[in-house]
Amino acid sequence: MENLLLQLQWRLFPLLGLLLSFLFVFLSRSSPKASQPLLPSSISSLSSLFMKISKSVDEAIRFSILQVSDRSECSLLPHSHYWIASNRIVTTQGVVSGAVEVKEGKIASVVKGEDWKGDSKTKQIIDYGDAVVMPGLVDVHVHLDDPGRTEWEGFPSGTKAAAAGGITTLIDMPLNSFPSTVSSETLRLKTEAATDNIYVDVGFWGGLVPENAFNATSLEALLSAGALGLKSFMCPSGINDFPMTNASHIKAGLAVLAKYKRPLLVHAEMEQDAQANYLEDGMNNDPRSYSTYLRTRPPSWEEAAIRELLTVSGDTAPGGPAEGAHLHVVHLSDAASSLQLLKEAKGSGHSVTVETCPHYLAFSSEEIEDGDTRFKCSPPIRDAANREILWKAVLEGDIDMLSSDHSPSVPELKLREEGNFLKAWGGISSLQFVLPVTWSHGRKYGVSLEQVALWWSERPAKLSGQESKGSIAVGKQADIVVWEPDVEFVLNKDHPTYLKHPSISAYMGTKLTGKVLATFVRGNLVYEDGKHASAACGATLLSKVPADL
């Protein structure tokens, strides 16, 4: 109750001041002379005024109580103004010891050393000691399959898993849900499904497909409705209402995106020859062998798609017809020719970025056992030598960021008993584990905390247009993850997981380092030590139409 009263005081003082002002004006107008008594009509009017103001104050109190009550359900922490202290805070100026002041959902100050303590007896302080305090992860590549295929994942389970993994913002892909998000109407279905069902903030990519690519009015309606950008496939997506695009579709899409200054994300694989027989006679073509599947999607598919992309990506360069648009290649797997082409495009001034995923950095094709279809994804996981080059590219900045490409399904579609890589549904289920996976495998390469924040927070926030997120700095939203980088754990049946179908995750059974302790979203403590806030109070993130349109 004491906390409740403190929350109400600042709301009620202005109303009380307004009440006194009304009384002063009323009395001065009703009785111009000090000696003139108030008439009965004046007393009646004064009484009526009191009743109206009293009602307003009562409504304000009830509204304030409701807001405080909502906050208590949205957060495991009852305070809206508090300090997070740690000896390792990852800021834009490096890792510092000190405290982060959080006030009304935003970062009010970041104070180094002991200077922040001052009147510490009057402050609400959460001291995490040597645990790392870092900007919350922004995952720009997630399939939550909601609405339409919630038996695969869904907003509630997916965002709970995200919170448990230190992810504070998800950008949901336009396919695998049903219908696919390719219009303003289908985007509305997404936002309606997400409302009151998300534990972290969620934004949405729209889809670029042949149906809308040459229809600028349709694309503009989708972007004006709040899509953060568009996504397209250069090969069959596996989803009937999300067909593949070619360079002409992409060129048309970039022209519209340029007006809105938003990105186009591209799945860059392209079949060389529809009749090509990658499973040659005399080879081991056992469908239970991962090497068989690997031959069906060679690196040349990625290279061909990126070569095609680069015929139109020059439009995004300064002075080009699509200046203001941006091309982003998702989940790069080929670390050879494809990566080199992208480096050259960047050097030529094209507005291009590229991501890869933890599963390409954690696993290699040689390690995948026969029939273990949990590892099937596209592009495929390649060999250990390729993995080493990918790590080098990430560390040197040639690969800009990481994403999960969390792509779950119902267990039956993975065909675990049959173990047929050629028929099983592709996709790595990983959302909850990407932070410890990145850290566990990155430590042997000397990965720093600042690099993890760059790959998982700062750059993804920029790509998705979330300027208020991505770093621990004054004025930013208080999206924060707290984790212990030296704590080991095994992903077994006893480990608390929040994915709807943890059994299909390729990470189950592995040992990882880096335990998430707490996750804050806009100042709300949404997850701590295995417990989630009781209410799903994440926000839907919709882009605003530029002022000059």
Side-chain angles (χ1 to χ4, degrees), residues 206-226:
L208 178 72
V209 293
E211 175 188 350
N212 63 20
F214 301 119
N215 187 337
T217 301
S218 177
L219 285 182
E220 289 183 5
L222 176 55
L223 294 168
S224 295

Side-chain angles (χ1 to χ4, degrees), residues 88-99:
R88 288 189 284 185
I89 302 173
V90 184
T91 74
T92 51
Q93 283 76 46
V95 179
V96 302
S97 175

Side-chain angles (χ1 to χ4, degrees), residues 234-247:
M234 296 182 74
C235 62
S237 71
I239 299 295
N240 292 334
D241 67 345
F242 206 94
M244 61 184 279
T245 56
N246 58 33

Side-chain angles (χ1 to χ4, degrees), residues 231-235 265-269 297 305 330-331 378-379:
K231 164 73 180 297
S232 72
F233 268 69
M234 296 182 74
C235 62
L265 287 73
V266 181
H267 181 126
E269 282 186 293
R297 298 185 91 104
V330 299
H331 52 44
S378 60

Side-chain angles (χ1 to χ4, degrees), residues 446-463:
V447 166
S448 68
L449 297 172
E450 295 98 318
Q451 287 174 311
V452 175
L454 184 68
W455 302 332
W456 274 111
S457 302
E458 184 177 337
R459 287 177 177 166
K462 182 179 180 180
L463 175 72

Side-chain angles (χ1 to χ4, degrees), residues 395-415:
L395 292 165
E396 294 181 355
D398 295 323
I399 292 176
D400 301 275
M401 65 192 76
L402 303 179
S403 74
S404 70
D405 189 15
H406 174 64
S407 187
S409 69
V410 289
E412 305 88 79
L413 291 179
K414 280 295 188 181
L415 305 180

Side-chain angles (χ1 to χ4, degrees), residues 433-511:
F433 315 127
V434 292
L435 175 56
V437 168
T438 303
W439 182 248
S440 299
H441 292 272
R443 293 179 82 172
K444 66 180 179 181
Y445 299 95
V447 166
S448 68
L449 297 172
E450 295 98 318
Q451 287 174 311
V452 175
L454 184 68
W455 302 332
W456 274 111
S457 302
E458 184 177 337
R459 287 177 177 166
K462 182 179 180 180
L463 175 72
S464 56
Q466 303 306 306
E467 295 85 359
S468 63
K469 299 176 180 291
S471 61
I472 293 181
V474 175
K476 298 281 189 177
Q477 291 180 355
D479 291 356
I480 294 170
V481 56
V482 183
W483 58 291
E484 294 180 319
D486 300 317
V487 172
E488 290 187 344
F489 57 95
V490 177
L491 290 178
N492 55 27
K493 63 180 181 179
D494 298 322
H495 187 84
T497 55
Y498 301 96
L499 302 170
K500 182 165 284 188
H501 303 296
S503 65
I504 67 170
S505 176
Y507 293 106
M508 295 307 294
T510 62
K511 179 185 289 187

